[in-house]
């Protein structure tokens, strides 16, 4: 018979030379674990990963202060943003100044490319940017202009003692209209004192031997030629000037009727729409046979006694050109030189002036030929109220100026009737 087998656990035992049983292995693992636990507890009483009570409290306190710290951060960010915006504004200003310097230096003319829009919608640039004001040019004049000018615009007249009575009529009418931004450039001490006594804004230039000698003794044309050199300082200071001869009567504020879209805005010597604004004049030369008719473009000249000039580079160049030519050509008429420099185009051996220009409305900015030859004879045109009337076509200026005031200010309808169309 076969003998009875015992269960494996019963067969194995320590010291028996047999492999340990499964129960023994479990017991040994438990013993080792307990031992390691005791060792760790002895060497790491706070545990292998510790977090102090203070640290836990720190995190809780930090959570409690999130709102306060966030508010401070927002304030700091807002302060930084404001600082960046100021710096950005400074950068933009510097960029504008650099762009202007490039323009003054004649650089960058072809560096920008433009795409043409749809047919009939394209328009070129008409208004040149103004120059950077430079008060160091004439600090005394700059101070006067800051007090007198309105929106950087001013009426300027140049006068000496030879025209004191006419000058008084000039500024009396300006005051009557209520214009405040005007200035008389006195060419001698007598006119300076006279203007101060009449409470008229006046500027006496610093001594200049060449200009002073002409200004004190010169006639109308000589004095008129000086204005181009004098006006340059106004433009350098950043002011737009409405230059006015003193044989001009004001009936409205001219600044309300300017377009300001050109370098030069001038009244015309033309007496109707064709002569003032331009026309196609046909020249006939029979000897040419089939080609006997040649078309020409005609326009009557700008009047150099009344024009609005903006402080732009082309405007400054115009004044320099005219003043330079008049100094080299003392017998030249300033109005002729003024128009030649404005209108003559570039051609071989000559570079024309690149200035934009506009002709003023001849019925608002009226010369005396328009008034005496046309307006006073028209029932409709007599009803119009001009901005100014310039007695440029007639030598008997004071008598006609007084009559013009009677007609437009006092309503005397026959005040102009006894004068001839022209001079006698």
């Amino acid at each position: 018979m076969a003998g009875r087998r015992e269960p494996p656990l019963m067969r194995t035992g320590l010291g028996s030379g047999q492999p340990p049983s499964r129960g023994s292995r479990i017991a040994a693992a438990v013993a080792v674990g307990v031992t390691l636990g005791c060792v760790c507890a002895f060497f790491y009483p706070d545990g292998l990963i510790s977090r102090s009570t203070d640290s836990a409290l720190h995190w809780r306190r930090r959570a409690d202060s999130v709102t306060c710290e966030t508010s401070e951060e927002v304030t700091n960010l807002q302060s930084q943003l404001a600082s960046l915006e100021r710096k950005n504004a400074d950068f933009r200003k510097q960029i504008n100044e650099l762009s202007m310097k490039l323009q003054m230096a004649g650089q960058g003319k072809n560096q920008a490319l433009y795409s043409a829009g749809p047919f009939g919608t394209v328009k070129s640039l008409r208004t040149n940017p103004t120059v950077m004001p430079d008060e160091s040019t004439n600090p005394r004049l700059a101070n006067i202009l800051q007090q007198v000018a309105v929106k950087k615009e001013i009426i300027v007249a140049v006068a000496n003692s030879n025209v004191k009575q006419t000058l008084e009529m000039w500024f009396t009418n300006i005051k009557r209209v209520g214009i405040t931004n005007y200035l008389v450039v006195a060419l001698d001490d007598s006119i300076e004192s006279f203007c101060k006594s009449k409470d008229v804004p006046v500027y006496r230039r610093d001594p200049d031997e060449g200009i002073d000698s002409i200004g004190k003794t010169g006639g109308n044309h000589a004095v008129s030629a000086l204005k181009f050199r004098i006006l340059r300082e106004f433009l350098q200071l950043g002011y737009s000037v409405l230059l006015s001869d003193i044989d001009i009567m004001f009936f409205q504020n001219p600044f309300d009727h300017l377009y300001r879209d050109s370098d030069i805005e001038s009244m015309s010597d033309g007496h109707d729409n064709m002569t003032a604004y331009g026309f196609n004049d046909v020249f006939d030369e029979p000897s040419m046979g089939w080609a006997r008719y040649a078309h020409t473009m005609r326009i009557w000249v700008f009047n150099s006694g009344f024009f609005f000039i903006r402080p732009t580079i082309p405007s400054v160049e115009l004044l320099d050109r005219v003043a330079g030519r008049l100094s080299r050509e003392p017998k030249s008429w300033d109005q002729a030189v003024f128009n030649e420099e404005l209108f003559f185009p570039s051609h071989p051996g000559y570079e024309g002036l690149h200035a934009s220009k506009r002709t003023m409305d001849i019925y608002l900015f009226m010369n005396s030929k328009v008034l005496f030859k046309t307006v006073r004879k028209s029932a409709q045109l007599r009803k119009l109220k001009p901005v100014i009337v310039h007695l440029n076509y007639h030598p008997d200026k004071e008598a006609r100026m007084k009559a013009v005031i009677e007609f437009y200010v006092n309503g005397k309808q026959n005040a102009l009737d006894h004068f001839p169309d022209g001079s006698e």
Side-chain angles (χ1 to χ4, degrees), residues 67-83:
T67 302
C68 180
E69 292 184 2
T70 301
S71 177
E72 293 177 357
E73 290 175 356
V74 169
T75 302
N76 290 335
L77 288 174
Q78 290 175 339
S79 176
Q80 293 176 19
L81 179 60
S83 176

Side-chain angles (χ1 to χ4, degrees), residues 346-420:
S346 298
H347 54 263
Y350 175 79
E351 183 178 354
L353 180 70
H354 298 277
S356 57
K357 40 200 172 286
R358 168 183 283 274
T359 304
M360 292 177 171
D361 187 316
I362 61 172
Y363 295 111
L364 291 179
F365 299 90
M366 191 184 303
N367 63 56
S368 56
K369 183 175 183 177
V370 172
L371 174 61
F372 285 96
K373 186 178 179 180
T374 305
V375 171
R376 68 170 176 166
K377 300 176 183 179
S378 168
Q380 293 299 318
L381 293 177
R382 287 169 67 97
K383 299 176 182 178
L384 296 177
K385 184 179 182 181
V387 176
I388 61 107
V389 173
H390 188 182
L391 274 298
N392 60 315
Y393 271 101
H394 299 88
D396 50 340
K397 296 184 183 296
E398 291 184 9
R400 292 191 185 238
M401 289 172 71
K402 292 177 181 178
V404 171
I405 294 173
E406 287 292 326
F407 182 79
Y408 283 112
V409 177
N410 300 326
K412 188 176 180 180
Q413 294 300 302
N414 63 348
L416 306 176
D417 293 350
H418 67 281
F419 291 98

Side-chain angles (χ1 to χ4, degrees), residues 41-104:
F42 179 78
F43 288 104
Y44 302 100
D46 294 329
L48 292 173
I49 302 175
S50 63
R51 177 181 294 172
S52 66
T53 304
D54 290 340
S55 177
L57 292 174
H58 169 74
W59 284 104
R60 286 195 295 272
R61 285 196 299 270
R62 184 172 180 181
D64 293 338
S65 65
V66 166
T67 302
C68 180
E69 292 184 2
T70 301
S71 177
E72 293 177 357
E73 290 175 356
V74 169
T75 302
N76 290 335
L77 288 174
Q78 290 175 339
S79 176
Q80 293 176 19
L81 179 60
S83 176
L84 290 173
E85 288 177 345
R86 287 193 296 269
K87 290 180 179 179
N88 190 33
D90 291 339
F91 286 144
R92 286 198 301 268
K93 182 179 179 181
Q94 293 175 14
I95 289 172
N96 290 336
E97 291 177 353
L98 289 173
S99 298
M100 186 61 66
K101 288 179 179 179
L102 284 174
Q103 182 196 13
M104 292 180 184

Side-chain angles (χ1 to χ4, degrees), residues 119-130:
F119 179 82
T121 65
V122 178
K123 288 188 177 181
S124 63
L125 298 178
R126 285 161 171 75
T127 307
N128 286 305
T130 57

